[in-house]
Amino acid sequence: MDNIYLYMIIALAILAIADLVVGVSNDAVNFLNSAIGSKAISFKTIMIVASLGVAVGAVFSSGMMEVARKGIFNPGEFMFDEIMIIFLAVMITDILLLDFFNSIGMPTSTTVSIVFELLGAAVAIALIKIGHDGGSFSDVITYINTSKATQIIFGILLSVVVAFSVGAFVQWFSRLLLSYNFEKKANWVGALFGGFALTAITYFIFMKGLKGTSYASQSFDIFGGDTMSHFLETQVVSIVLANFAFWSLLSYALIIFLKSNIYKLVIVAGTFALALAFAGNDLVNFIGVPVAAYNAFTAWSSSGVPASEFSMGILAQKVPTNNWLLFLAGMIMVLTLWFSTKAKNVVKTSLDLSSQSETKERFQPNFLSRIFVRTAVLMSQIFGYMLPKSWQEKIDKQFEAPVINVSKDKKIELPAFDLVRAAVNLMVAAVLISIATSYKLPLSTTYVTFMVAMGSSLADRAWGAESAVYRVAGVINVIGGWFFTAFSAFTAAALVAYLLNLNIGLMFPILLLVALALLIRSSIVHNKKSKELRAEDSLIKAESSSIQGVIHESANNIANVVKRGNKIYTNSINGLAKQDLVMLKKNNKQIVKLSQEVEGLRDNIFYFIKNLDDSSIGASDFYINILGYLQDMTQSLEYISKAVHKHVNNNHKKLKFNQIKELKEVDVILEQLFNDTKEAFETQSFSKISHILTSKEPLFKLLTEKIHKQVERTRTEESSPKNTTLYFSLLLETKDLLSATMSLLEEYDHAHDDSVKPAKIAEVNTVQTIKIKDEEE
């Protein structure tokens, strides 16, 4: 039986490596989003700087490891066999929970997950002990380190409010002083900003962040024989002033003599510092539990006492972590940073919600987001009445985003936000995280960096009337996910601990295999989705300024919609014939996705029209008409798909054989029409359209005949009102689908010019975001 604990230590070591990989995939957003979003430096440079920060921070994280040993529960109240169950339950739950959030691309908190997992597992084992000893529920308090646990939990919750408020406050004043034309300000302004930002970063990260590590307790002659930690605590004002003077002068020299962009320097330093703070604060979340388990195992194995009788009071003592172990963990984190594709999904969520420009909104408005936006608008109006008009005009001028004119033949992807906001995000987040680290509080780096970014976005007026309700809904969803993390982490860890306690010899390998299987399955599903996304047809926004240019640019979109629409229509008929609910449910998802893509093209009309030359206004009429017909087609397909799914899902009577036969006849003829149309647009052989249009009258005649036949059946033999309603609905919507398709073909037939050569169709969809000043304002 004793050998099982050795196997558990080996399993925990493997789980620690897996947790490092999964955890970094989740937390990469914390220190990458500002640098990536601002496009201040190349992605490769960002990764190199972040990797160095992670590696250095990992070595300096020893002081935080105590949280896993004694921060949540009182180790002296548990025996060795019980503590091993707690630690194993925590690690199994942590990996599965973080991997779930990574797979859906939502940032969650590794700190919150580990804290509530430790709490849940400890409470479960404590209750089992209390029940065995005949105690009461109130005895749980003796097993849990209530003061420290409460401090940690309230600190995490408070960090949400503090990070949002401080981020908004600093960004508002930074923009008020620097405006969007910050690069044209006097050199001394940039130098002072650089001095302030770099002083905050260097003091709180490189100095304050060292407090609590093994290096800070050493005596140095340079400090008069005093320890580094004591010197930093007693000389705060002197160090800060000296740093500010040094960095301000250096920033000024770099601006004057080397023509350097001081904001880029702040972003580079901030990325390094935040990566360092992340590793220093969050490494405990990944390897703290396995390290504590190893310490417990070495103490027990040398004691000769049975596992059920060996108290874990030794974990309450300060035990330094091996620096080589920390370095190895840092290297694993760095490799994950470079090769994890899930990390990019999490980064994208944060960037979309903080972007200064228009993006594809991932979240739908909800009741809370609408109330929040209305309240904010009302408060803004009240604030406007209180300030003199001249002050309002000066403030508005500082927050006025510049108009970016992009050449029509140049495709670029603009930054999500500018250098000032990126620098503020990094500076504020680094300061807040490192303060918590210096006091050995496992602050949630995810909460802090995310809420700082959201606060600075609000203060920077990135959430305008067009996007505020979507962005706020996104923030609410993410925060809701954090609360779900806490609840699910507590519950799942408690359940796993209970199962392990039932029969550890049996449940240990079973739960380990289940966790491994779920991880492998998650990885396979993620890779499959990634491949499908890369190979998937997607609709491309038009960028040409002439009718012929739009004709050739939109050809692939038409072929794409027709091909996918053909498949959706056929699946609807086949699913109805076979009563295949799974096929129909999948079909519904496909048409919803297609409808959203067409809606996305319509949302781009404003920018398309703004980009036109005065001599090319006719292109806008053509493009608007084409998008209208595409929308009509998708609406008909959506109605057909949902009507069929509803009929089968409600277990209504099957359609009669003749009805299915007639619908399949219509499907075969429509399939031929759609295939011919797809081929004409894929090859840009627009001269074939006139031939396709000759089938218009026969097709409408066929549908009319099918409708008449159903009328006759209804009068003589039909007995199901639901069947009759569905059949008529399908035929009528098919007529609408056919009408929209034919109208689209006629529009192309009238507008295309065979003398104009087809434009080269780009294989990769390049998104061009153009920021345009609203003329009405």
Side-chain angles (χ1 to χ4, degrees):
M1 181 64 181
D2 288 349
N3 287 334
I4 195 171
Y5 297 113
L6 177 61
Y7 298 143
M8 290 174 73
I9 290 295
I10 295 172
L12 283 169
I14 297 171
L15 290 172
I17 296 172
D19 205 25
L20 280 169
V21 173
V22 175
V24 173
S25 297
N26 178 82
D27 282 3
V29 63
N30 300 340
F31 49 88
L32 292 180
N33 62 348
S34 292
I36 292 175
S38 66
K39 297 188 179 295
I41 48 180
S42 68
F43 182 75
K44 186 177 180 181
T45 305
I46 293 170
M47 295 297 287
I48 292 172
V49 171
S51 299
L52 290 172
V54 167
V56 175
V59 177
F60 289 157
S61 64
S62 177
M64 294 296 294
M65 294 299 163
E66 296 177 32
V67 174
R69 290 194 293 266
K70 59 180 181 179
I72 304 301
F73 54 84
N74 297 317
E77 299 294 330
F78 296 94
M79 300 302 154
F80 174 70
D81 57 341
E82 296 163 343
I83 215 80
M84 290 299 289
I85 289 176
I86 291 173
F87 287 155
L88 188 61
V90 167
M91 291 303 293
I92 291 174
T93 305
D94 196 55
I95 290 174
L96 296 178
L97 192 66
L98 292 180
D99 187 69
F100 167 74
F101 276 95
N102 292 345
S103 298
I104 61 175
M106 291 283 280
T108 191
S109 171
T110 54
T111 305
V112 168
S113 62
I114 202 76
V115 165
F116 279 91
E117 284 154 5
L118 283 166
L119 191 61
V123 167
I125 297 300
L127 289 175
I128 291 171
K129 285 171 67 71
I130 290 169
H132 184 267
D133 297 337
S136 63
F137 182 79
S138 60
D139 294 336
V140 171
I141 198 170
T142 62
Y143 294 89
I144 306 300
N145 187 351
T146 52
S147 60
K148 187 68 174 178
T150 304
Q151 182 185 8
I152 290 171
I153 293 169
F154 277 103
I156 290 171
L157 296 175
L158 184 64
S159 70
V160 173
V161 179
V162 171
F164 186 87
S165 304
V166 175
F169 180 80
V170 175
Q171 177 60 37
W172 192 83
F173 272 98
S174 297
R175 186 66 71 195
L176 187 65
L177 295 172
L178 298 170
S179 79
Y180 278 93
N181 296 315
F182 53 91
E183 292 180 338
K184 296 180 180 178
K185 293 288 183 181
N187 292 330
W188 65 267
V189 175
L192 286 180
F193 180 85
F196 180 81
L198 292 171
T199 297
I201 289 170
T202 52
Y203 180 75
F204 285 105
I205 300 298
F206 299 119
M207 296 182 179
K208 202 75 171 175
L210 292 177
K211 184 182 176 185
T213 67
S214 58
Y215 304 97
S217 59
Q218 298 177 15
S219 298
F220 295 90
D221 292 335
I222 192 174
F223 301 140
D226 204 351
T227 64
M228 183 187 295
S229 178
H230 187 264
F231 178 81
L232 296 177
E233 288 177 352
T234 56
Q235 303 296 326
V236 174
V237 177
S238 301
I239 293 172
V240 169
L241 291 177
N243 263 274
F244 181 72
F246 172 77
W247 287 116
S248 298
L249 290 172
L250 181 61
S251 299
Y252 190 76
L254 290 173
I255 295 171
I256 295 296
F257 299 110
L258 298 181
K259 306 298 181 184
S260 299
N261 189 321
I262 197 62
Y263 300 96
K264 289 186 178 182
L265 178 61
V266 171
I267 290 170
V268 171
T271 300
F272 175 84
L274 201 54
L276 183 146
F278 149 75
N281 189 86
D282 279 17
L283 189 59
V284 62
N285 302 337
F286 311 137
I287 69 168
V289 167
V291 167
Y294 178 74
N295 292 337
F297 177 78
T298 53
W300 166 76
S301 58
S302 61
S303 68
V305 179
S308 59
E309 299 175 12
F310 186 70
S311 173
M312 284 286 96
I314 189 172
L315 292 183
Q317 302 173 13
K318 186 174 179 63
V319 183
T321 308
N322 187 291
N323 287 331
W324 285 107
L325 179 61
L326 296 175
F327 178 76
L328 178 62
M331 290 302 99
I332 295 172
M333 294 167 79
V334 169
L335 290 173
T336 303
L337 197 60
W338 281 89
F339 297 107
S340 173
T341 56
K342 289 185 179 181
K344 296 172 185 175
N345 291 341
V346 183
V347 171
K348 186 178 185 303
T349 299
S350 184
L351 287 180
D352 286 346
L353 290 177
S354 59
S355 177
Q356 190 79 34
S357 56
E358 295 292 330
T359 62
K360 183 179 179 181
E361 304 294 351
R362 292 183 54 185
F363 302 94
Q364 293 301 312
N366 53 47
F367 173 76
L368 289 176
S369 70
R370 293 187 181 100
I371 293 295
F372 183 90
V373 171
R374 290 190 186 113
T375 304
V377 170
L378 181 61
M379 289 176 64
S380 177
Q381 291 173 346
I382 293 172
F383 186 68
Y385 289 129
M386 294 170 62
L387 283 178
K389 190 173 181 180
S390 59
W391 286 25
Q392 291 182 46
E393 291 174 353
K394 288 180 181 179
I395 292 173
D396 290 340
K397 187 176 181 180
Q398 294 296 90
F399 283 84
E400 187 176 299
V403 179
I404 301 177
N405 294 317
V406 181
S407 174
K408 292 181 176 62
D409 60 349
K410 186 178 181 181
K411 296 180 179 180
I412 64 170
E413 187 176 350
L414 297 178
F417 38 77
D418 69 354
L419 302 182
V420 170
R421 180 135 64 97
V424 168
N425 287 347
L426 290 164
M427 174 177 61
V428 173
V431 167
L432 293 177
I433 292 169
S434 53
I435 289 175
T437 304
S438 68
Y439 289 103
K440 297 181 184 177
L441 292 174
L443 189 74
S444 171
T445 55
T446 303
Y447 287 15
V448 171
T449 53
F450 183 82
M451 293 311 294
V452 166
M454 295 305 103
S456 65
S457 301
L458 176 66
D460 214 22
R461 302 186 181 180
W463 298 349
E466 304 289 337
S467 61
V469 71
Y470 302 99
R471 306 284 175 87
V472 173
V475 174
I476 292 171
N477 281 336
V478 171
I479 294 176
W482 295 344
F483 283 101
F484 173 75
T485 300
F487 173 77
S488 55
F490 182 94
T491 307
L495 177 62
V496 174
Y498 171 75
L499 293 174
L500 287 170
N501 185 75
L502 288 178
N503 189 331
I504 191 169
L506 176 65
M507 297 307 300
F508 165 53
I510 290 177
L511 289 173
L512 207 60
L513 287 173
V514 169
L516 182 63
L518 289 174
L519 275 179
I520 293 172
R521 178 183 176 276
S522 172
S523 180
I524 292 172
V525 170
H526 174 74
N527 290 335
K528 185 179 178 182
K529 283 184 178 180
S530 299
K531 289 178 181 177
E532 288 176 353
L533 197 61
R534 287 194 296 268
E536 190 178 66
D537 298 317
S538 57
L539 306 186
I540 302 171
K541 297 181 178 72
E543 294 174 349
S544 294
S545 57
S546 67
I547 292 181
Q548 299 307 315
V550 174
I551 284 175
H552 293 296
E553 265 192 5
S554 300
N556 270 7
N557 282 348
I558 307 300
N560 192 339
V561 172
V562 169
K563 180 178 73 174
R564 291 161 69 180
N566 186 14
K567 184 178 179 181
I568 289 166
Y569 188 89
T570 299
N571 286 343
S572 296
I573 303 303
N574 289 340
L576 178 63
K578 298 175 183 177
Q579 298 285 292
D580 189 340
L581 195 58
V582 174
M583 178 191 289
L584 294 175
K585 188 176 181 180
K586 186 177 180 181
N587 206 44
N588 266 354
K589 291 181 180 178
Q590 293 298 321
I591 183 56
V592 168
K593 188 174 186 302
L594 181 59
S595 296
Q596 289 174 345
E597 289 184 30
V598 172
E599 188 64 32
L601 294 181
R602 289 180 66 86
D603 290 342
N604 191 56
I605 285 178
F606 172 80
Y607 302 100
F608 171 75
I609 294 174
K610 284 282 189 179
N611 199 35
L612 290 175
D613 294 328
D614 293 338
S615 59
S616 306
I617 301 302
S620 62
D621 294 335
F622 175 80
Y623 189 54
I624 290 170
N625 290 338
I626 291 300
L627 291 184
Y629 296 137
L630 288 178
Q631 189 171 46
D632 290 343
M633 291 169 65
T634 55
Q635 284 176 348
S636 295
L637 288 167
E638 189 168 6
Y639 181 88
I640 290 169
S641 178
K642 289 185 175 180
V644 168
H645 176 267
K646 179 181 177 182
H647 186 88
V648 175
N649 196 33
N650 288 341
N651 296 309
H652 294 316
K653 288 177 64 176
K654 295 181 181 179
L655 266 64
K656 293 185 177 180
F657 176 78
N658 287 337
Q659 291 174 321
I660 295 295
K661 181 182 177 183
E662 290 173 7
L663 286 174
K664 287 199 171 186
E665 288 175 4
V666 172
D667 178 42
V668 169
I669 296 173
L670 273 181
E671 186 169 7
Q672 183 61 48
L673 168 69
F674 286 147
N675 284 335
D676 291 343
T677 303
K678 178 175 73 74
E679 183 181 352
F681 281 94
E682 280 183 343
T683 60
Q684 298 197 4
S685 304
F686 301 124
S687 57
K688 294 181 180 179
I689 292 177
S690 57
H691 174 71
I692 298 173
L693 286 170
T694 58
S695 62
K696 178 179 178 180
E697 292 303 324
L699 283 170
F700 276 111
K701 185 177 179 182
L702 174 68
L703 289 171
T704 303
E705 289 175 358
K706 302 299 182 187
I707 292 173
H708 288 163
K709 281 187 179 181
Q710 180 60 28
V711 170
E712 290 297 324
R713 279 196 293 265
T714 303
R715 296 182 62 181
T716 56
E717 60 187 71
E718 184 63 75
S719 60
S720 171
K722 295 291 184 184
N723 280 11
T724 301
T725 302
L726 176 65
Y727 191 75
F728 278 131
S729 297
L730 294 180
L731 291 178
L732 291 172
E733 282 301 327
T734 301
K735 283 187 74 173
D736 289 344
L737 171 63
L738 184 60
S739 177
T741 305
M742 289 299 176
S743 296
L744 184 145
L745 292 173
E746 288 169 353
E747 189 80 27
Y748 260 84
D749 189 48
H750 295 151
H752 88 276
D753 185 352
D754 288 331
S755 64
V756 178
K757 292 183 179 180
K760 185 178 180 181
I761 303 299
E763 294 181 359
V764 181
N765 179 16
T766 304
V767 180
Q768 181 184 16
T769 306
I770 302 176
K771 203 181 269 294
I772 299 174
K773 184 179 178 181
D774 192 342
E775 293 176 353
E776 293 181 357
E777 294 182 353

